[in-house]
Amino acid sequence: MPEDYCACLQRHRSAYTCGSLLKEVYVMSVNRKGPDSLEWGYITTHEGGPMVTLGYDPASGAFSYRAREDEYLGYQLIAIRSIDPDHLEWCTDAHKAPQRFRRVESAEVMLNSALFEGRYAQEGDTGLVHFHRDGSVEGLSGIDRFTVLTDFTEGLDDRDIVFLYSGEYDWSTDAFHYRSEGNELLLFPMDTTANEYVYRMGELKYRLRRLAE
């Protein structure tokens, strides 16, 4: 995933705030394919991109691919170069600086750990709430899963949203606006209205105070 995006998530605890850093590639896939080739592809926050084979170029020390004149991939040049086992540089224009990417276990784990993972004390409740990086949550009555929204489309482009649910989430009942203020996590239910993709913000339902690990 983009290095600056990952760092932004950890700094601001907001997928909405950091979304502007996602020029296009949200998650990149790089897999070995033979002794001197890689299979490369990516997804955006909304859809998938192409899959292409990159060959090693000894002159540049990178794996690269140049599209044919009649071939549209979104890029005329794709080049990636390893920096260390956990970072690589990605370039689609020989005249621009490359973008740095970080190896992650998965996009979901990166988001969950940066935005929510940890133990919290709930206001007015003696029990603890525990968000886990695998998307599970303990300590919220009737809720055992959470999913962070990253696809800010269809008019839902003005706030951070997380789904809190059990089983499968439902837009009409399980959407919450989340906001971090210092060491507090605030969660507001979002109620559906008669207009599609228009929500009415509910009153604050959960005020959670993050506890030191």
Side-chain angles (χ1 to χ4, degrees):
M1 295 177 70
E3 172 81 356
D4 54 356
Y5 176 70
C6 293
C8 182
L9 289 175
Q10 294 171 322
R11 185 168 61 252
H12 294 288
R13 299 187 187 279
S14 168
Y16 169 68
T17 297
C18 301
S20 60
L21 295 174
L22 293 172
K23 312 289 190 299
E24 180 166 6
V25 176
Y26 173 52
V27 180
M28 180 184 295
S29 172
V30 181
N31 300 293
R32 186 183 296 276
K33 187 176 183 180
D36 60 356
S37 300
L38 298 175
E39 185 178 60
W40 174 88
Y42 71 90
I43 62 172
T44 69
T45 57
H46 188 66
E47 60 188 356
M51 294 293 294
V52 297
T53 299
L54 311 184
Y56 183 66
D57 176 14
S60 64
F63 288 82
S64 63
Y65 179 89
R66 288 189 177 275
R68 302 187 308 269
E69 290 186 3
D70 62 344
E71 184 179 22
Y72 177 73
L73 296 175
Y75 312 107
Q76 290 303 306
L77 167 71
I78 302 165
I80 63 174
R81 183 176 67 85
S82 176
I83 300 173
D84 60 42
D86 293 313
H87 298 87
L88 62 79
E89 289 183 339
W90 173 68
C91 185
T92 58
D93 188 328
H95 303 292
K96 293 183 179 179
Q99 185 178 3
R100 188 178 173 110
F101 278 70
R102 177 194 300 180
R103 182 196 299 270
V104 297
E105 181 179 341
S106 71
E108 291 76 15
V109 166
M110 176 62 213
L111 281 163
N112 295 346
S113 60
L115 301 177
F116 285 91
E117 183 180 26
R119 296 181 306 120
Y120 299 79
Q122 184 175 177
E123 184 179 53
D125 194 318
T126 58
L128 296 182
V129 176
H130 198 165
F131 287 92
H132 300 274
R133 61 176 54 201
D134 66 359
S136 61
V137 58
E138 300 169 279
L140 293 178
S141 179
I143 295 169
D144 57 25
R145 299 291 302 173
F146 71 100
T147 296
V148 180
L149 179 73
T150 57
D151 185 4
F152 295 104
T153 58
E154 304 292 354
L156 296 172
D157 58 357
D158 63 348
R159 71 195 66 185
D160 277 305
I161 298 172
V162 63
F163 299 99
L164 302 175
Y165 59 99
S166 179
E168 298 292 331
Y169 66 76
D170 186 328
W171 275 94
S172 65
T173 57
D174 302 328
F176 284 75
H177 167 58
Y178 67 91
R179 186 168 75 238
S180 288
E181 293 185 355
N183 69 340
E184 289 190 329
L185 174 64
L186 310 180
L187 293 157
F188 304 80
M190 294 169 51
D191 302 322
T192 54
T193 68
N195 298 317
E196 189 175 21
Y197 303 122
V198 176
Y199 291 81
R200 179 176 56 252
M201 289 293 298
E203 297 294 326
L204 176 67
K205 184 169 184 179
Y206 301 110
R207 181 186 294 273
L208 306 177
R209 177 170 50 85
R210 184 183 295 270
L211 302 176
E213 296 295 333

